[in-house]
Amino acid sequence: MTDIQDADPRFAELLETIYREWAEEVPGFNAFKRKIGLLISSPSARVFYHCDPAGQALWQIRGRKRIYLYPPTAPFPRPAELENVTRSVTGEEISYQPWYDDYAEVYDLEPGDMLHWALNGPHRIDNHNEINV
Ligand SMILES: [Fe+2]
């Protein structure tokens, strides 16, 4: 579910609180686009290697998952592929090679954990064998 801040004022308030706290901690911080979504995914679901040009942060509410974060520089996102994703010429999935994993930071997220990463940083996700929210 995307843009849930428009559907329920409680999420609008949560979104405002998150951005206000970031602005308090990061001088000059000013996000021009603020959105919040709710992802519910199946046990053992996988999200393949991709990048999100808008940037993102992830809060784990329920279940556990492993996330692999890759450097935001070539060759992990190849410039031509990143441009195509940004221009919506292609989807968010980009080329992946198994050796990229040698350069990944790996985190196991549990309920209550939060993670964000560098803009354009490719990532992929493996859910553990439980529903994830
Ligand atoms: Fe993503």
Short mmCIF file of all heavy atoms in Angstrom, two decimals, residues 89-128:
data_model
loop_
_atom_site.label_atom_id
_atom_site.label_comp_id
_atom_site.label_asym_id
_atom_site.label_seq_id
_atom_site.Cartn_x
_atom_site.Cartn_y
_atom_site.Cartn_z
N VAL A 89 12.43 4.32 -17.92
CA VAL A 89 12.53 3.60 -19.19
C VAL A 89 12.47 2.11 -18.92
O VAL A 89 11.94 1.34 -19.72
CB VAL A 89 13.86 3.98 -19.90
CG1 VAL A 89 14.09 3.11 -21.14
CG2 VAL A 89 13.85 5.46 -20.26
N THR A 90 13.01 1.71 -17.77
CA THR A 90 12.96 0.31 -17.34
C THR A 90 12.38 0.26 -15.94
O THR A 90 12.17 1.29 -15.30
CB THR A 90 14.38 -0.31 -17.31
OG1 THR A 90 15.17 0.38 -16.34
CG2 THR A 90 15.05 -0.21 -18.68
N GLY A 91 12.16 -0.97 -15.45
CA GLY A 91 11.77 -1.15 -14.06
C GLY A 91 12.96 -0.90 -13.16
O GLY A 91 14.03 -0.48 -13.61
N GLU A 92 12.79 -1.21 -11.89
CA GLU A 92 13.85 -0.93 -10.91
C GLU A 92 14.93 -2.00 -10.87
O GLU A 92 15.99 -1.77 -10.30
CB GLU A 92 13.23 -0.77 -9.52
CG GLU A 92 12.33 0.45 -9.42
CD GLU A 92 11.59 0.52 -8.10
OE1 GLU A 92 11.51 -0.51 -7.41
OE2 GLU A 92 11.09 1.61 -7.78
N GLU A 93 14.66 -3.17 -11.46
CA GLU A 93 15.68 -4.23 -11.42
C GLU A 93 16.83 -3.89 -12.36
O GLU A 93 16.62 -3.42 -13.48
CB GLU A 93 15.06 -5.58 -11.78
CG GLU A 93 14.13 -6.07 -10.68
CD GLU A 93 13.62 -7.48 -10.93
OE1 GLU A 93 14.19 -8.19 -11.77
OE2 GLU A 93 12.65 -7.86 -10.25
N ILE A 94 18.04 -4.13 -11.89
CA ILE A 94 19.24 -3.84 -12.66
C ILE A 94 20.12 -5.09 -12.66
O ILE A 94 19.85 -6.06 -11.95
CB ILE A 94 20.00 -2.62 -12.09
CG1 ILE A 94 20.34 -2.84 -10.62
CG2 ILE A 94 19.17 -1.35 -12.28
CD1 ILE A 94 21.16 -1.71 -9.99
N SER A 95 21.19 -5.06 -13.47
CA SER A 95 22.06 -6.22 -13.62
C SER A 95 22.68 -6.61 -12.29
O SER A 95 23.10 -5.75 -11.52
CB SER A 95 23.18 -5.92 -14.61
OG SER A 95 22.64 -5.61 -15.87
N TYR A 96 22.75 -7.92 -12.08
CA TYR A 96 23.33 -8.45 -10.84
C TYR A 96 24.32 -9.55 -11.18
O TYR A 96 24.09 -10.33 -12.11
CB TYR A 96 22.21 -9.02 -9.96
CG TYR A 96 22.69 -9.84 -8.79
CD1 TYR A 96 23.20 -9.21 -7.66
CD2 TYR A 96 22.62 -11.22 -8.82
CE1 TYR A 96 23.64 -9.97 -6.59
CE2 TYR A 96 23.05 -11.98 -7.74
CZ TYR A 96 23.56 -11.35 -6.62
OH TYR A 96 23.99 -12.09 -5.57
N GLN A 97 25.41 -9.58 -10.45
CA GLN A 97 26.40 -10.65 -10.56
C GLN A 97 26.63 -11.22 -9.16
O GLN A 97 26.72 -10.45 -8.19
CB GLN A 97 27.73 -10.11 -11.11
CG GLN A 97 27.64 -9.53 -12.50
CD GLN A 97 27.35 -10.59 -13.55
OE1 GLN A 97 27.82 -11.72 -13.45
NE2 GLN A 97 26.55 -10.23 -14.54
N PRO A 98 26.72 -12.53 -9.02
CA PRO A 98 26.90 -13.11 -7.67
C PRO A 98 28.11 -12.55 -6.92
O PRO A 98 28.06 -12.45 -5.69
CB PRO A 98 27.04 -14.61 -7.96
CG PRO A 98 26.28 -14.82 -9.22
CD PRO A 98 26.51 -13.57 -10.04
N TRP A 99 29.16 -12.16 -7.63
CA TRP A 99 30.33 -11.63 -6.92
C TRP A 99 30.05 -10.29 -6.25
O TRP A 99 30.80 -9.88 -5.36
CB TRP A 99 31.55 -11.54 -7.85
CG TRP A 99 31.44 -10.56 -9.00
CD1 TRP A 99 31.05 -10.83 -10.27
CD2 TRP A 99 31.73 -9.15 -8.96
NE1 TRP A 99 31.07 -9.69 -11.04
CE2 TRP A 99 31.50 -8.65 -10.25
CE3 TRP A 99 32.16 -8.27 -7.97
CZ2 TRP A 99 31.67 -7.31 -10.58
CZ3 TRP A 99 32.34 -6.93 -8.29
CH2 TRP A 99 32.10 -6.46 -9.58
N TYR A 100 28.96 -9.62 -6.62
CA TYR A 100 28.60 -8.37 -5.94
C TYR A 100 28.43 -8.60 -4.44
O TYR A 100 28.65 -7.70 -3.64
CB TYR A 100 27.30 -7.80 -6.49
CG TYR A 100 27.34 -7.23 -7.88
CD1 TYR A 100 26.18 -6.70 -8.45
CD2 TYR A 100 28.51 -7.20 -8.65
CE1 TYR A 100 26.18 -6.17 -9.72
CE2 TYR A 100 28.51 -6.68 -9.94
CZ TYR A 100 27.35 -6.16 -10.46
OH TYR A 100 27.33 -5.64 -11.72
N ASP A 101 28.00 -9.82 -4.08
CA ASP A 101 27.76 -10.11 -2.66
C ASP A 101 29.02 -9.94 -1.81
O ASP A 101 28.93 -9.69 -0.60
CB ASP A 101 27.21 -11.53 -2.48
CG ASP A 101 25.79 -11.65 -2.96
OD1 ASP A 101 25.17 -10.63 -3.33
OD2 ASP A 101 25.28 -12.80 -2.99
N ASP A 102 30.21 -10.06 -2.43
CA ASP A 102 31.45 -9.85 -1.68
C ASP A 102 31.56 -8.41 -1.18
O ASP A 102 32.36 -8.13 -0.28
CB ASP A 102 32.67 -10.17 -2.56
CG ASP A 102 32.75 -11.64 -2.93
OD1 ASP A 102 32.10 -12.48 -2.25
OD2 ASP A 102 33.45 -11.97 -3.90
N TYR A 103 30.79 -7.49 -1.76
CA TYR A 103 30.85 -6.07 -1.40
C TYR A 103 29.60 -5.61 -0.66
O TYR A 103 29.44 -4.42 -0.38
CB TYR A 103 31.05 -5.22 -2.67
CG TYR A 103 32.36 -5.54 -3.34
CD1 TYR A 103 32.47 -6.58 -4.26
CD2 TYR A 103 33.51 -4.82 -3.01
CE1 TYR A 103 33.69 -6.89 -4.85
CE2 TYR A 103 34.73 -5.12 -3.60
CZ TYR A 103 34.80 -6.17 -4.52
OH TYR A 103 36.01 -6.48 -5.09
N ALA A 104 28.72 -6.53 -0.35
CA ALA A 104 27.45 -6.16 0.30
C ALA A 104 27.61 -6.03 1.80
O ALA A 104 28.38 -6.76 2.43
CB ALA A 104 26.39 -7.21 -0.02
N GLU A 105 26.86 -5.10 2.37
CA GLU A 105 26.63 -5.07 3.81
C GLU A 105 25.34 -5.87 4.03
O GLU A 105 24.35 -5.64 3.33
CB GLU A 105 26.44 -3.65 4.31
CG GLU A 105 27.67 -2.77 4.19
CD GLU A 105 27.39 -1.35 4.68
OE1 GLU A 105 26.51 -1.17 5.54
OE2 GLU A 105 28.05 -0.45 4.17
N VAL A 106 25.38 -6.77 4.99
CA VAL A 106 24.23 -7.67 5.21
C VAL A 106 23.66 -7.40 6.60
O VAL A 106 24.41 -7.37 7.58
CB VAL A 106 24.66 -9.14 5.08
CG1 VAL A 106 23.46 -10.07 5.27
CG2 VAL A 106 25.32 -9.38 3.72
N TYR A 107 22.35 -7.20 6.66
CA TYR A 107 21.67 -6.94 7.92
C TYR A 107 20.48 -7.89 8.06
O TYR A 107 19.76 -8.12 7.09
CB TYR A 107 21.16 -5.50 7.99
CG TYR A 107 22.25 -4.47 7.93
CD1 TYR A 107 22.65 -3.93 6.71
CD2 TYR A 107 22.89 -4.04 9.08
CE1 TYR A 107 23.66 -2.98 6.64
CE2 TYR A 107 23.91 -3.10 9.03
CZ TYR A 107 24.28 -2.57 7.80
OH TYR A 107 25.28 -1.64 7.74
N ASP A 108 20.30 -8.40 9.26
CA ASP A 108 19.10 -9.17 9.58
C ASP A 108 18.19 -8.26 10.40
O ASP A 108 18.52 -7.89 11.52
CB ASP A 108 19.47 -10.43 10.37
CG ASP A 108 20.13 -11.47 9.49
OD1 ASP A 108 19.53 -11.82 8.45
OD2 ASP A 108 21.25 -11.91 9.80
N LEU A 109 17.07 -7.88 9.79
CA LEU A 109 16.15 -6.97 10.46
C LEU A 109 15.14 -7.74 11.29
O LEU A 109 14.57 -8.73 10.83
CB LEU A 109 15.40 -6.11 9.43
CG LEU A 109 16.25 -5.15 8.60
CD1 LEU A 109 15.34 -4.29 7.73
CD2 LEU A 109 17.14 -4.30 9.46
N GLU A 110 14.91 -7.24 12.50
CA GLU A 110 13.94 -7.81 13.43
C GLU A 110 12.90 -6.73 13.72
O GLU A 110 13.16 -5.55 13.48
CB GLU A 110 14.64 -8.16 14.75
CG GLU A 110 15.87 -9.01 14.60
CD GLU A 110 15.65 -10.45 15.01
OE1 GLU A 110 14.60 -10.72 15.64
OE2 GLU A 110 16.50 -11.27 14.70
N PRO A 111 11.75 -7.09 14.25
CA PRO A 111 10.75 -6.07 14.60
C PRO A 111 11.37 -4.99 15.49
O PRO A 111 12.07 -5.30 16.46
CB PRO A 111 9.68 -6.87 15.35
CG PRO A 111 9.78 -8.24 14.74
CD PRO A 111 11.26 -8.45 14.49
N GLY A 112 11.13 -3.74 15.11
CA GLY A 112 11.69 -2.61 15.85
C GLY A 112 12.94 -2.05 15.22
O GLY A 112 13.39 -0.97 15.61
N ASP A 113 13.54 -2.75 14.26
CA ASP A 113 14.73 -2.25 13.58
C ASP A 113 14.34 -1.28 12.46
O ASP A 113 13.27 -1.40 11.86
CB ASP A 113 15.55 -3.39 12.97
CG ASP A 113 16.24 -4.24 14.01
OD1 ASP A 113 16.40 -3.78 15.16
OD2 ASP A 113 16.64 -5.37 13.67
N MET A 114 15.25 -0.35 12.18
CA MET A 114 15.07 0.59 11.07
C MET A 114 16.39 0.68 10.33
O MET A 114 17.45 0.60 10.94
CB MET A 114 14.67 1.96 11.62
CG MET A 114 14.49 3.03 10.57
SD MET A 114 16.00 3.91 10.22
CE MET A 114 15.37 5.27 9.28
N LEU A 115 16.30 0.82 9.01
CA LEU A 115 17.51 0.88 8.20
C LEU A 115 17.27 1.83 7.04
O LEU A 115 16.19 1.85 6.45
CB LEU A 115 17.82 -0.53 7.67
CG LEU A 115 19.11 -0.75 6.90
CD1 LEU A 115 20.33 -0.54 7.82
CD2 LEU A 115 19.15 -2.16 6.32
N HIS A 116 18.27 2.64 6.74
CA HIS A 116 18.25 3.41 5.50
C HIS A 116 19.64 3.36 4.92
O HIS A 116 20.59 2.98 5.59
CB HIS A 116 17.74 4.84 5.71
CG HIS A 116 18.62 5.68 6.56
ND1 HIS A 116 19.56 6.54 6.03
CD2 HIS A 116 18.73 5.78 7.90
CE1 HIS A 116 20.18 7.14 7.03
NE2 HIS A 116 19.71 6.70 8.16
N TRP A 117 19.77 3.73 3.66
CA TRP A 117 21.05 3.56 2.99
C TRP A 117 21.22 4.63 1.93
O TRP A 117 20.30 5.42 1.66
CB TRP A 117 21.17 2.16 2.39
CG TRP A 117 20.02 1.72 1.55
CD1 TRP A 117 19.92 1.82 0.19
CD2 TRP A 117 18.81 1.09 1.99
NE1 TRP A 117 18.73 1.30 -0.23
CE2 TRP A 117 18.03 0.84 0.84
CE3 TRP A 117 18.32 0.71 3.24
CZ2 TRP A 117 16.79 0.23 0.91
CZ3 TRP A 117 17.07 0.12 3.30
CH2 TRP A 117 16.32 -0.12 2.15
N ALA A 118 22.40 4.64 1.35
CA ALA A 118 22.76 5.69 0.40
C ALA A 118 21.83 5.70 -0.81
O ALA A 118 21.43 4.64 -1.31
CB ALA A 118 24.20 5.50 -0.06
N LEU A 119 21.51 6.90 -1.27
CA LEU A 119 20.71 7.06 -2.47
C LEU A 119 21.36 6.29 -3.62
O LEU A 119 22.58 6.34 -3.80
CB LEU A 119 20.60 8.54 -2.82
CG LEU A 119 19.71 8.89 -4.02
CD1 LEU A 119 18.26 8.52 -3.74
CD2 LEU A 119 19.83 10.37 -4.33
N ASN A 120 20.56 5.61 -4.37
CA ASN A 120 20.98 4.80 -5.52
C ASN A 120 21.71 3.52 -5.13
O ASN A 120 22.24 2.83 -5.99
CB ASN A 120 21.83 5.59 -6.52
CG ASN A 120 21.10 6.77 -7.08
OD1 ASN A 120 19.88 6.73 -7.26
ND2 ASN A 120 21.82 7.84 -7.37
N GLY A 121 21.77 3.23 -3.87
CA GLY A 121 22.41 2.00 -3.43
C GLY A 121 21.54 0.80 -3.76
O GLY A 121 20.43 0.67 -3.24
N PRO A 122 22.02 -0.11 -4.63
CA PRO A 122 21.22 -1.30 -4.92
C PRO A 122 21.05 -2.15 -3.66
O PRO A 122 21.89 -2.10 -2.74
CB PRO A 122 22.06 -2.05 -5.97
CG PRO A 122 22.96 -1.03 -6.56
CD PRO A 122 23.25 -0.08 -5.43
N HIS A 123 20.00 -2.93 -3.66
CA HIS A 123 19.73 -3.80 -2.52
C HIS A 123 18.85 -4.96 -2.97
O HIS A 123 18.22 -4.90 -4.02
CB HIS A 123 19.07 -3.03 -1.37
CG HIS A 123 17.94 -2.16 -1.80
ND1 HIS A 123 18.13 -0.97 -2.45
CD2 HIS A 123 16.60 -2.33 -1.69
CE1 HIS A 123 16.96 -0.43 -2.71
NE2 HIS A 123 16.00 -1.24 -2.27
N ARG A 124 18.87 -6.01 -2.18
CA ARG A 124 17.96 -7.14 -2.38
C ARG A 124 17.59 -7.69 -1.01
O ARG A 124 18.30 -7.44 -0.02
CB ARG A 124 18.58 -8.20 -3.28
CG ARG A 124 19.80 -8.89 -2.74
CD ARG A 124 20.36 -9.86 -3.78
NE ARG A 124 21.49 -10.60 -3.25
CZ ARG A 124 21.40 -11.76 -2.59
NH1 ARG A 124 20.22 -12.31 -2.37
NH2 ARG A 124 22.48 -12.36 -2.14
N ILE A 125 16.48 -8.41 -0.96
CA ILE A 125 15.93 -8.82 0.33
C ILE A 125 15.46 -10.27 0.27
O ILE A 125 14.84 -10.68 -0.70
CB ILE A 125 14.74 -7.90 0.73
CG1 ILE A 125 15.24 -6.47 0.92
CG2 ILE A 125 14.07 -8.41 1.99
CD1 ILE A 125 14.13 -5.46 1.07
N ASP A 126 15.76 -11.00 1.33
CA ASP A 126 15.22 -12.35 1.51
C ASP A 126 14.45 -12.38 2.83
O ASP A 126 15.04 -12.21 3.91
CB ASP A 126 16.35 -13.39 1.60
CG ASP A 126 17.12 -13.55 0.30
OD1 ASP A 126 16.57 -13.21 -0.77
OD2 ASP A 126 18.27 -14.01 0.36
N ASN A 127 13.15 -12.61 2.76
CA ASN A 127 12.37 -12.77 3.99
C ASN A 127 12.74 -14.09 4.66
O ASN A 127 13.00 -15.09 3.98
CB ASN A 127 10.88 -12.81 3.70
CG ASN A 127 10.29 -11.43 3.49
OD1 ASN A 127 10.99 -10.43 3.51
ND2 ASN A 127 8.98 -11.41 3.25
N HIS A 128 12.71 -14.11 5.97
CA HIS A 128 12.77 -15.38 6.66
C HIS A 128 11.40 -16.05 6.48
O HIS A 128 10.51 -15.49 5.85
CB HIS A 128 13.10 -15.14 8.13
CG HIS A 128 14.51 -14.67 8.35
ND1 HIS A 128 15.38 -15.31 9.19
CD2 HIS A 128 15.23 -13.64 7.82
CE1 HIS A 128 16.56 -14.70 9.19
NE2 HIS A 128 16.48 -13.68 8.37
#
